[in-house]
Amino acid sequence: MNFSIHTIPFGIFSFGESKKCLATAIDDKVVDLSYLANEGFFDDFDIPRPVFSQPYLNDFISLGKKKTGAVRNLLQTLLKNPTPEVMEAYFYYKQVDMHLPVKVGDYTDFYSSEQHAYNVGVMFRDPENALLPNWKHLPVAYHGRASSIRVSGTPVHRPKGQMKPKDADKPVFGPSKRLDFELEMATIIGKGTELGESVSVNEAEDYVFGFQLFNDWSARDIQAWEYVPLGPFLAKNFFSSVSPWVIPIEALEPFRIPAEKQEPEVLPYLKGDALSQFDVKLEVYLRTSTGEEKKISTSNFKHLYWTVAQQIAHHTVGGCDLNVGDVLASGTISGKAGDSYGSMLELSWSGTRPIEIAPGIQRTFLEDGDTVIFKGYADNGKIRVDFGTVENTILPSK
Amino acid sequence: MNFSIHTIPFGIFSFGESKKCLATAIDDKVVDLSYLANEGFFDDFDIPRPVFSQPYLNDFISLGKKKTGAVRNLLQTLLKNPTPEVMEAYFYYKQVDMHLPVKVGDYTDFYSSEQHAYNVGVMFRDPENALLPNWKHLPVAYHGRASSIRVSGTPVHRPKGQMKPKDADKPVFGPSKRLDFELEMATIIGKGTELGESVSVNEAEDYVFGFQLFNDWSARDIQAWEYVPLGPFLAKNFFSSVSPWVIPIEALEPFRIPAEKQEPEVLPYLKGDALSQFDVKLEVYLRTSTGEEKKISTSNFKHLYWTVAQQIAHHTVGGCDLNVGDVLASGTISGKAGDSYGSMLELSWSGTRPIEIAPGIQRTFLEDGDTVIFKGYADNGKIRVDFGTVENTILPSK
């Protein structure tokens, strides 16, 4: 962990038997914001001190960007040249426990990477019509399970479920044989809407607090059997994981880049004055139980056809309400190159092209004991913003 | 509203400017449980009095069935021959406001009525293969949107969205032209599970607190365009509605009936010693803005292929955790007869068979100003248990 002064992430930590409370981080230190609050550092912003002593960030996020932005700015000043008083709030990262930072209300998973949708379409359906007809007209999405989202470090048991082997005449039950990760970015909603209210593309980023790395764990064999006609269910809801730190959207301003032109033209409610993506490098590492580790994918948050602003506009256009703490995940982010795909399904091309982790060690899908690690960072040579990691180890089925 | 002594429903009410708190109901009276609690009526059960003064039932439900069952039993005694002291807690139903009774964590929608799945399959896909291959092997379900669930009485604005008219070469945007209801029953989860824990069919009903009428409002034209490959999204998430009273599962014991035999045989984790359904009559009424009203469907909670216990066993078999207040909706409940279908889509056979509401007034899908009313009740000649109603009026698109 190494957070620059440009990052100022927000998370939830505890130390030993202490209660959970809010934290930021600088370099390899965790900074106890409840301590700073109780010393009066944030009193000028008219924020009740207990907001910094909650077990989730939600109350803090609910203050709105004016106040959370003021806290961010002050922290950049305080942590640049910390006084001894400020340093009283420091902990070494390795000394503390990090927790799920946001209490998630509803979780939506988009499907916004064209290469990923294309790859899945080729493998599961028809190479000639890999993208379904709706894909370039709307940001396809489905509702995911909020309850089973956990923080980095939580182990994941291989799920059991129904699958139907090729040529079998009926389904079988057992541990998934095609356990997979999905490399995603989670958008954390920072401002709620009323039922019936729509948010335009141009104002949509006002509703974004920040971002986290997101692993949408998936069991491909369970998914293939269950997903028609209503979408994935048990194939996904056994577990999802997030990195411990929420990176505020303000930290990504230096890394904003124009989105690519969309063709065919989208409907007016999906148009914006200046659609943008964020240039954030994403890496996937696989570590075996014997300690062999390899980077198996290098992707980028920018490899999305639909922007976060368009996702929010689409999500609300029918009147669905958003709440602070909702998660809008990007969907698997795959680049064009074969080594930038965001899932084992794509990297091993449905298991037909094993990936070499080390001499004699290959993977198609994930095995018990494997650890999957996502890392993310933005770096323009002058400014670097890290996302930290989301890292989970696979345990055998219960 | 007319609740027998056998019902003892639980809900959340307020009177004038009073705070929300817990209530039950008897005949046409609402009974303020916070008043009875503060008078000490429940002190023997070791329940903190503030549990009855919450804006949701969740804390009460979390006490567990032993305590909530004791409250239920005591209320049956108290309300049978109420003393003047007990009657101090009475309000006339028309004097109070009823609120959403349960703070919903996650909402899952099943698809468990065979006739409904068959009807949809015939209309949308292939009459020869109306049921998809997985349908009789697992209770198909998807995750719905929890945030947009509202209580009976809340108006619903006709949603706008993308749809693709037949033969058009690209989608259009506008108010849905095929707005529909779905007649469902919601199961309210009463006990949580840990991530990774599975619940067997035989113990599954221990996790059920009770039931509510549920209307899964749907926009068929939006759904048809968006739902491949990940399931319905904006077609459903603009609104869902529930009846104000949760009927405890104990009240349905007299109406338990054996479930029909499942063929083909299901996998062992879906088998139970005595699978049962509940004989609860369900009715749908449509009332126009000019006051014409007609009963347009008569269905029954028992018209399900999969039981609630099987739904819970399936939901948890991969390790997905459940929490108190989660909703598991049944999916549209359609009986075999054409006048027992649970949606306009089926009743009007995709708009091809208009339904006469009154002379000269026909409907295929729902129009602005229409009110949809679900009623439910169980009655064996000796005991009657009502569910109340869920009733919502359609307003034009915003």
Side-chain angles (χ1 to χ4, degrees):
Chain A
M1 190 186 92
N2 193 357
F3 288 108
S4 75
I5 195 73
H6 306 289
T7 312
I8 311 293
F10 292 99
I12 297 291
F13 90 112
S14 64
F15 174 69
E17 299 298 304
S18 80
K19 276 193 176 176
K20 296 177 188 175
C21 64
L22 274 66
T24 188
I26 183 75
D27 305 327
D28 61 341
K29 317 291 191 313
V30 171
V31 184
D32 180 351
L33 296 182
S34 73
Y35 177 86
L36 295 182
N38 289 331
E39 293 295 309
F41 278 97
F42 308 126
D43 284 356
D44 284 352
F45 306 139
D46 191 27
I47 303 174
R49 291 180 179 185
V51 165
F52 295 93
S53 302
Q54 301 299 313
Y56 293 105
L57 293 175
N58 299 53
D59 286 356
F60 175 71
I61 296 172
S62 298
L63 296 171
K65 286 202 189 198
K66 201 174 157 190
K67 290 188 179 181
T68 59
V71 170
R72 170 180 165 80
N73 291 340
L74 176 63
L75 286 170
Q76 284 187 321
T77 306
L78 292 177
L79 304 182
K80 202 162 188 175
N81 297 296
T83 62
E85 193 183 3
V86 167
M87 292 181 72
E88 285 289 313
Y90 280 32
F91 290 82
Y92 284 102
Y93 187 61
K94 60 188 177 188
Q95 294 179 305
V96 306
D97 293 312
M98 297 302 300
H99 304 281
L100 188 68
V102 176
K103 171 91 178 152
V104 181
D106 277 284
Y107 151 46
T108 300
D109 197 22
F110 282 85
Y111 189 55
S112 290
S113 156
E114 181 173 359
Q115 188 66 45
H116 171 69
Y118 174 82
N119 289 344
V120 171
V122 167
M123 283 185 273
F124 278 68
R125 287 180 295 269
D126 173 8
E128 297 302 305
N129 297 290
L131 285 191
L132 288 165
N134 58 17
W135 200 90
K136 289 206 167 182
H137 293 284
L138 56 86
V140 170
Y142 67 99
H143 300 115
R145 181 82 188 177
S147 72
S148 51
I149 298 174
R150 294 292 184 278
V151 75
S152 175
T154 312
V156 48
H157 284 273
R158 178 179 299 272
K160 287 183 282 195
Q162 281 195 36
M163 39 224 139
K164 189 152 170 291
K166 259 186 190 172
D167 310 323
D169 61 351
K170 53 186 185 179
V172 298
F173 179 81
S176 168
K177 291 174 179 160
R178 291 162 74 95
L179 182 60
D180 202 354
F181 63 83
E182 289 196 338
L183 175 65
E184 306 198 12
M185 187 71 89
T187 299
I188 307 300
I189 294 297
K191 187 164 83 167
T193 66
E194 294 297 316
L195 192 66
E197 182 185 350
S198 298
V199 174
S200 72
V201 171
N202 286 338
E203 64 188 358
E205 284 189 5
D206 295 346
Y207 293 79
V208 176
F209 178 73
F211 302 97
Q212 283 171 283
L213 302 174
F214 192 91
N215 189 342
D216 179 29
W217 293 81
S218 300
R220 301 299 177 191
D221 35 13
I222 296 173
Q223 186 174 355
W225 172 233
E226 75 174 359
Y227 91 105
V228 283
L230 298 178
F233 183 55
L234 298 190
K236 304 271 193 177
N237 70 12
F238 61 97
F239 194 72
S240 307
S241 56
V242 289
S243 53
W245 297 100
V246 183
I247 311 303
I249 188 169
E250 292 89 341
L252 295 190
E253 278 309 327
F255 308 101
R256 189 184 286 277
I257 54 174
E260 287 183 27
K261 190 170 185 306
Q262 293 174 323
E263 186 60 43
E265 194 179 358
V266 296
L267 282 161
Y269 81 93
L270 289 169
K271 288 180 182 165
D273 293 336
L275 293 180
S276 57
Q277 301 288 1
F278 298 99
D279 181 7
V280 179
K281 291 167 187 67
L282 302 171
E283 299 173 335
V284 181
Y285 296 78
L286 195 156
R287 186 168 65 230
T288 69
S289 59
T290 52
E292 313 282 351
E293 182 172 317
K294 187 178 175 188
K295 179 160 75 173
I296 57 173
S297 181
T298 305
S299 187
N300 195 303
F301 188 21
K302 72 182 179 187
H303 294 322
L304 294 176
Y305 187 84
W306 298 101
T307 71
V308 168
Q310 289 178 313
Q311 291 171 343
I312 291 171
H314 183 66
H315 206 312
T316 58
V317 77
C320 179
D321 52 339
L322 296 177
N323 290 288
V324 167
D326 286 348
V327 164
L328 273 55
S330 59
T332 309
I333 307 174
S334 296
K336 290 202 193 308
D339 61 355
S340 68
Y341 294 167
S343 65
M344 294 298 282
L345 176 72
E346 296 163 85
L347 290 164
S348 77
W349 207 250
S350 197
T352 60
R353 303 176 194 158
I355 303 158
E356 182 170 82
I357 307 300
I361 301 181
Q362 293 184 328
R363 288 289 182 277
T364 50
F365 289 93
L366 299 169
E367 300 193 0
D368 293 346
D370 285 353
T371 300
V372 176
I373 306 150
F374 295 171
K375 298 182 185 177
Y377 65 96
D379 193 339
N380 63 9
K382 281 184 273 184
I383 293 177
R384 182 177 167 110
V385 168
D386 271 274
F387 277 68
T389 65
V390 54
E391 170 172 345
N392 307 85
T393 300
I394 298 157
L395 301 181
S397 275
K398 273 194 181 175
Chain B
M1 192 187 91
N2 192 355
F3 287 108
S4 74
I5 194 74
H6 306 289
T7 312
I8 311 292
F10 292 99
I12 297 291
F13 90 111
S14 64
F15 174 69
E17 297 298 304
S18 79
K19 275 193 178 177
K20 296 178 189 176
C21 64
L22 274 66
T24 187
I26 182 77
D27 304 327
D28 61 342
K29 316 292 191 314
V30 170
V31 184
D32 179 350
L33 296 182
S34 74
Y35 177 85
L36 295 182
N38 289 331
E39 292 295 307
F41 279 98
F42 308 127
D43 283 357
D44 284 352
F45 305 139
D46 191 28
I47 303 173
R49 291 180 179 185
V51 165
F52 295 93
S53 303
Q54 300 298 312
Y56 292 106
L57 293 175
N58 299 52
D59 287 355
F60 176 70
I61 296 172
S62 298
L63 295 170
K65 287 202 189 197
K66 200 173 159 191
K67 290 187 179 181
T68 59
V71 170
R72 171 180 165 80
N73 291 340
L74 176 62
L75 286 170
Q76 283 187 321
T77 305
L78 292 177
L79 304 182
K80 202 161 189 175
N81 298 298
T83 62
E85 193 185 2
V86 168
M87 291 181 73
E88 284 289 312
Y90 280 34
F91 289 83
Y92 284 102
Y93 186 61
K94 59 188 176 189
Q95 293 178 306
V96 305
D97 293 313
M98 297 302 301
H99 305 280
L100 187 69
V102 175
K103 172 90 177 153
V104 180
D106 278 283
Y107 151 45
T108 300
D109 198 22
F110 282 85
Y111 189 55
S112 290
S113 157
E114 182 174 359
Q115 188 66 44
H116 171 67
Y118 174 82
N119 288 344
V120 171
V122 168
M123 283 185 273
F124 279 65
R125 287 179 295 270
D126 173 9
E128 298 302 305
N129 297 289
L131 284 191
L132 288 164
N134 58 16
W135 200 90
K136 290 206 166 181
H137 293 283
L138 56 85
V140 169
Y142 67 100
H143 300 115
R145 181 80 188 178
S147 73
S148 52
I149 298 174
R150 294 292 184 279
V151 74
S152 175
T154 312
V156 48
H157 283 273
R158 179 179 299 272
K160 286 183 284 195
Q162 281 194 36
M163 35 222 143
K164 189 152 170 292
K166 258 188 193 168
D167 309 323
D169 61 351
K170 54 185 185 179
V172 298
F173 179 82
S176 168
K177 291 175 181 162
R178 291 163 73 95
L179 181 60
D180 202 355
F181 62 83
E182 290 197 336
L183 174 64
E184 306 199 11
M185 187 71 89
T187 299
I188 306 300
I189 293 297
K191 187 164 84 167
T193 66
E194 295 296 318
L195 192 66
E197 182 184 349
S198 299
V199 175
S200 72
V201 171
N202 286 338
E203 63 188 357
E205 285 189 4
D206 295 345
Y207 293 79
V208 177
F209 177 73
F211 303 97
Q212 283 171 285
L213 302 174
F214 192 92
N215 189 341
D216 179 29
W217 293 80
S218 300
R220 300 300 175 191
D221 36 13
I222 297 172
Q223 186 174 354
W225 171 233
E226 75 173 0
Y227 91 106
V228 283
L230 298 178
F233 183 56
L234 298 190
K236 304 270 194 178
N237 70 11
F238 60 97
F239 194 71
S240 307
S241 56
V242 289
S243 53
W245 297 101
V246 182
I247 311 303
I249 189 169
E250 292 87 341
L252 296 189
E253 278 309 326
F255 308 101
R256 189 184 285 280
I257 54 174
E260 287 182 27
K261 189 170 186 304
Q262 292 175 323
E263 185 61 43
E265 194 179 0
V266 296
L267 281 162
Y269 81 93
L270 289 169
K271 287 181 183 166
D273 293 336
L275 294 179
S276 58
Q277 300 288 2
F278 298 99
D279 182 6
V280 179
K281 290 166 188 67
L282 302 172
E283 298 173 336
V284 182
Y285 295 80
L286 194 155
R287 187 168 63 228
T288 68
S289 59
T290 52
E292 313 281 351
E293 182 172 318
K294 187 178 174 187
K295 179 160 74 174
I296 57 172
S297 180
T298 306
S299 187
N300 195 304
F301 190 20
K302 72 182 178 186
H303 293 322
L304 294 176
Y305 187 85
W306 298 102
T307 72
V308 168
Q310 288 177 314
Q311 291 171 344
I312 291 171
H314 183 66
H315 206 311
T316 58
V317 77
C320 179
D321 53 339
L322 297 177
N323 290 288
V324 168
D326 287 348
V327 164
L328 273 55
S330 57
T332 309
I333 307 175
S334 296
K336 289 202 194 309
D339 61 356
S340 69
Y341 294 167
S343 65
M344 294 298 282
L345 176 73
E346 296 164 86
L347 289 165
S348 77
W349 207 251
S350 198
T352 61
R353 302 176 193 159
I355 302 159
E356 181 169 83
I357 307 300
I361 302 181
Q362 292 185 329
R363 288 289 182 276
T364 49
F365 290 93
L366 300 169
E367 300 193 0
D368 293 347
D370 286 352
T371 299
V372 177
I373 306 150
F374 295 172
K375 297 181 184 178
Y377 65 97
D379 192 339
N380 63 11
K382 280 183 272 183
I383 293 177
R384 182 178 168 109
V385 168
D386 271 274
F387 276 68
T389 64
V390 54
E391 170 171 346
N392 308 86
T393 299
I394 298 157
L395 300 181
S397 276
K398 273 193 181 175

